[in-house]
Amino acid sequence: MTRTRRTFDTRGIAFGCDYNPEQWGPEVWDEDIALMIEAGVDLVAINIFGWSHLEPHRGEYRFDRLDDIMDRLAADGIGVNLGTGTASTPAWLTREHPDLLPMAVDGTRRYPGGRQAFCPSSPVYREHALRLTAAVAERYGAHPALRLWHVSNEIGCHNALCYCDVSADAFRRWLADRYVDVDTLNAAWGTAFWSQSYGEWEEILPPRATLSSRNPAQLLDFHRFSSDELLGHYRAEADVIRSRSEAPITTNFMVTAHIDNLDYWSWAADMDVVANDHYLDHRLGDPTTELAFAADLSRGLAGGDPWLLMEHSTGAVNWQPLNLAKQPGQMMRNTLTHVARGADGACFFQWRASVQGSEKFHSAMLPHAGTDSAMWRDVVELGGAIERLAEVAGSRVDAAVALVFSWESWWAADGESRPSQALGYLDLVHAAYGALHAEGLTVDVVAPGADLSRYSLVVVPGLHLVREQDAVVLTDWIAAGGTALVTFSSGIVDEDDRVYVGGYGGPFRDALGVRVEEFAPVARETTLTLSDGSTATLWSERSRATTAEVVASFADGPSTGAPAITRNRWGLGEAWYLATLPEPAAYRSLVARLAADAGVRPAAEVDGDAASVDVVRRRGAAASYLFVVNHALVDATVATSGTDLVTGATADGSLVVPAGAVRVVRETPAASTGS
């Protein structure tokens, strides 16, 4: 049965934060609210980690402080994104039921003292969590401050994979539902290998640590099970809320570069509004490109609808090896990059910087230095800009390019035994997206099998695991006139992690016109030269073109003479294949050629360091809005006409965007013709 989504009214572009009043006395709350009003904050997330405060002892609820802060916020017109409080268990619960603590892959327990110290499959945890959720929902379900329900918090961030006996029982039930009988499971997992065949369900365990590499199909199914198990808990809490409140419900996803725990394609339909937490990861070569990718993927999960940035940071985080402060203007640029790419709200962790606890050195809107600080002045400036962008809310992002992304491929491709440990799934995704981004092309990130009819160019990086029916969607779209770029490590295995035989590429093979016979990866320090003079790294393949035209071949390395880049006519369209990882300039050049052939253009022309200038168009019913985020150290000139909502300036044909600045132009109708 299709569930009707409840509407979350952001009332413009929401501007907010996590607020943790339990860390402070009531004497601070009035100051906090006055400063929130000064900064333009209109949405705060509270009670995220409230369990031990609301239920200090089993069955003993204390709502007086939460009542107080909810009423104060309502009185001053600040909306609440209300947490259920179930993200971390109270000490009394884990003391009474130590069996609900999670177990790591090596069979050792993980104890309280951090957060998410529970097994997702624990019936004891669920019983108590739902009881708390019901109490909170009954008390605040119609409160005037309530605008959104926030189930748990960053679900599965730490405890997605639990290997305890309770999880083992739940895993076996999940497998029985999926495969019905053990013989079918044996066939799916390929248990004929290494004498792993099972005779009864009770013989099956989670993929705990072994002396050798583990069964990759078992690992894949355990990821699927773990994602489904946590989704089941989300649904249970949401059902409790839904019967007691009319407010919309969500939780904060973690679409980011280093967390692959949950398959959010399977979660998105359960969200009334898709929300995401994003933090710059400075371990990446280009964190601003990953920022844009994460925002585009969040929008993809929302089906193109506006979404909510639930958390990001004003400055440094506290959990990376080196926690870099943001540069002047970077907070504005980061925030409006998310808004440019479809967010109708931008919130931070957190409001007031903590003085104790694990996150005391995490940045905040109100820093330890207080209001006499550059950070606070930047927050107030950003709040003013967000207020001036209110009319943008509800508009949608224009994109003529799609990039296919799959959490299942991430799990399967990054297994324990693979051709090269130097290359992971995200390396291929980020390289492909980086080339598109550098070329100024706006990208929708879509799931395998998604409808491609609105796109002119589709890029498929490293889709290692693909179902045949999902491959057919792509090849039929190409045959109907589309242009696609498929990279190596695509179409290698089916949904059971079973290799497609007859030449790698499997269900893409005929459309690509290439037969790959053998992988030939190279060491990280090795540079490969192609016949067109460009260079590449990490990967080559021994293959031959069957019907494809060879655009470039390997001039050296283990696959000398074999095709490196090919183009094949397939029906009315073209299927390109990339058998290596080009250096960035060459990748960008290839993407530019394909985009030109497909008739795809950037949203606007940029004169300057175009690769460092994000230009994205959001289109509404009454107007279109061109976002220009200049990450460069030099000014850029953008072709556009209209009124800049940030500064109030007008543009007639061109607009100068200073180094490090952001401009949002309400375009005159003739200016909004880019793709």
Side-chain angles (χ1 to χ4, degrees):
M1 183 177 67
T2 302
R3 183 183 60 80
T4 300
R5 285 189 175 183
R6 301 177 179 185
T7 301
F8 174 53
D9 178 12
T10 54
R11 304 173 191 179
I13 304 295
F15 187 52
C17 55
D18 268 39
Y19 181 37
N20 297 290
E22 64 271 14
Q23 296 179 17
W24 311 93
E27 68 279 1
V28 178
W29 297 352
D30 287 336
E31 179 189 5
D32 282 336
I33 292 172
L35 290 174
M36 287 176 185
I37 293 170
E38 179 181 339
V41 167
D42 58 10
L43 181 68
V44 297
I46 62 174
N47 195 45
I48 305 303
F49 295 102
W51 197 334
S52 65
H53 301 277
L54 297 185
E55 191 181 9
H57 307 285
R58 173 197 284 271
E60 178 187 319
Y61 294 113
R62 297 180 183 174
F63 289 110
D64 52 322
R65 286 169 64 92
L66 187 53
D67 287 347
D68 189 354
I69 195 64
M70 289 283 288
D71 292 345
R72 294 188 195 208
L73 291 166
D76 283 295
I78 297 174
V80 170
N81 169 22
L82 185 59
T84 57
T86 58
S88 282
T89 47
W92 60 262
L93 181 56
T94 51
R95 182 183 179 216
E96 290 181 16
H97 299 280
D99 54 324
L100 67 72
L101 292 167
M103 180 177 285
V105 66
D106 63 359
T108 58
R109 290 282 184 184
R110 292 297 183 264
Y111 292 98
R115 65 179 192 172
Q116 294 186 342
F118 60 86
C119 163
S121 299
S122 169
V124 175
Y125 166 76
R126 180 168 297 192
E127 174 191 352
H128 286 272
L130 296 186
R131 186 177 298 135
L132 176 66
T133 300
V136 173
E138 286 169 2
R139 193 170 189 92
Y140 303 107
H143 195 282
L146 179 66
R147 291 179 59 194
L148 184 66
W149 283 102
H150 184 146
V151 171
S152 189
N153 184 71
E154 293 187 335
I155 296 175
C157 182
H158 307 286
N159 66 339
L161 305 178
C162 177
Y163 299 84
C164 73
D165 289 342
V166 173
S167 293
D169 286 340
F171 184 38
R172 286 188 284 266
R173 290 192 297 271
W174 184 91
L175 293 170
D177 287 341
R178 181 178 179 86
Y179 295 110
V180 181
D181 60 71
V182 175
D183 289 342
T184 304
L185 176 140
N186 282 322
W189 283 10
T191 57
F193 186 79
W194 280 357
S195 188
Q196 292 177 344
S197 298
Y198 298 103
E200 298 179 9
W201 293 112
E202 288 70 24
E203 296 169 358
I204 301 171
L205 296 171
R208 295 168 180 159
T210 60
L211 294 175
S212 65
S213 58
R214 294 168 290 175
N215 184 318
Q218 182 185 12
L219 287 167
L220 178 60
D221 266 349
F222 192 66
H223 273 291
R224 289 169 172 149
F225 152 76
S226 299
S227 180
D228 286 353
E229 196 76 348
L230 285 164
L231 177 56
H233 182 78
Y234 170 85
R235 287 171 172 165
E237 286 200 30
D239 286 346
V240 168
I241 296 168
R242 202 165 283 116
S243 65
R244 294 165 171 82
S245 176
E246 296 299 319
I249 308 168
T250 192
T251 191
N252 40 345
F253 290 171
M254 296 170 291
V255 175
T256 184
H258 57 279
I259 297 177
D260 69 343
N261 293 340
L262 307 180
D263 181 356
Y264 288 130
W265 293 124
S266 66
W267 282 61
D270 283 270
M271 306 297 123
D272 288 324
V273 58
V274 166
N276 187 50
D277 291 356
H278 183 267
Y279 295 96
L280 290 179
D281 193 331
H282 293 285
R283 293 167 291 189
L284 298 173
D286 180 13
T288 58
T289 299
E290 192 278 330
L291 162 69
F293 171 74
D296 285 345
L297 179 50
S298 298
R299 185 180 73 254
L301 290 163
D305 290 337
W307 53 280
L308 175 65
L309 178 63
M310 190 84 84
E311 291 183 22
H312 70 313
S313 67
T314 57
V317 298
N318 69 306
W319 42 265
Q320 294 182 24
L322 176 63
N323 296 294
L324 299 178
K326 290 187 176 180
Q327 297 298 314
Q330 188 177 2
M331 177 171 60
M332 176 81 76
R333 294 193 299 275
N334 291 168
T335 301
L336 295 191
T337 294
H338 289 287
V339 176
R341 296 176 183 275
D344 268 6
C347 303
F348 292 92
F349 179 84
Q350 60 179 327
W351 165 250
R352 182 183 285 269
S354 300
V355 295
Q356 293 180 291
S358 292
E359 294 179 308
K360 61 182 177 291
F361 295 123
H362 194 294
S363 60
M365 298 178 84
L366 182 59
H368 292 141
T371 56
D372 185 14
S373 63
M375 179 76 75
W376 173 252
R377 290 187 286 274
D378 287 347
V379 165
V380 174
E381 180 187 13
L382 176 60
I386 291 288
E387 184 177 4
R388 293 190 291 277
L389 298 182
E391 67 183 80
V392 175
S395 61
R396 295 168 66 95
V397 174
D398 269 355
V401 181
L403 183 145
V404 179
F405 180 85
S406 164
W407 273 274
E408 288 188 317
S409 273
W410 192 353
W411 297 334
D414 287 6
E416 295 173 342
S417 300
R418 60 185 197 257
S420 173
Q421 295 287 334
L423 196 61
Y425 175 65
L426 281 191
D427 295 318
L428 304 190
V429 171
H430 286 157
Y433 182 87
L436 295 163
H437 182 257
E439 200 54 30
L441 302 176
T442 307
V443 179
D444 278 351
V445 182
V446 302
D451 177 18
L452 303 174
S453 59
R454 65 184 297 259
Y455 303 107
S456 300
L457 174 64
V458 173
V459 179
V460 185
L463 192 62
H464 186 85
L465 182 155
V466 63
R467 292 165 172 79
E468 289 197 41
Q469 63 268 28
D470 292 341
V472 168
V473 171
L474 178 69
T475 56
D476 283 355
W477 174 83
I478 298 170
T483 298
L485 173 64
V486 179
T487 81
F488 67 92
S489 193
S490 294
I492 307 303
V493 301
D494 66 11
E495 62 268 35
D496 293 328
D497 203 39
R498 181 185 293 105
V499 172
Y500 287 108
V501 297
Y504 297 122
F508 299 129
R509 189 169 52 234
D510 291 343
L512 295 172
V514 177
R515 188 171 184 273
V516 180
E517 298 178 4
E518 186 179 6
F519 302 141
V522 297
R524 188 178 296 277
E525 61 273 13
T526 300
T527 298
L528 297 168
T529 305
L530 306 190
S531 61
D532 62 2
S534 65
T535 57
T537 188
L538 289 174
W539 193 267
S540 73
E541 295 178 334
R542 292 168 178 164
S543 63
R544 59 181 173 84
T546 53
T547 58
E549 168 197 352
V550 178
V551 177
S553 57
F554 292 102
D556 56 21
S559 302
T560 299
I565 305 173
T566 61
R567 176 176 60 186
N568 192 51
R569 195 72 184 171
W570 184 252
L572 300 176
E574 287 189 346
W576 289 69
Y577 182 64
L578 181 58
T580 190
L581 188 65
E583 51 86 16
Y587 213 149
R588 180 179 174 183
S589 178
L590 175 62
V591 161
R593 177 178 178 179
L594 269 65
D597 289 350
V600 178
R601 295 180 298 155
E605 294 181 8
V606 176
D607 181 12
D609 184 6
S612 298
V613 181
D614 271 359
V615 183
V616 181
R617 176 172 289 107
R618 289 183 62 162
R619 197 179 298 274
S624 64
Y625 304 91
L626 191 74
F627 284 74
V628 186
V629 183
N630 188 359
H631 297 287
L633 299 177
V634 295
D635 295 355
T637 302
V638 179
T640 187
S641 296
T643 302
D644 173 28
L645 301 181
V646 176
T647 66
T650 59
D652 185 11
S654 68
L655 177 70
V656 175
V657 182
V662 183
R663 298 291 182 262
V664 183
V665 179
R666 184 203 300 119
E667 298 178 296
T668 57
S672 60
T673 57
S675 297

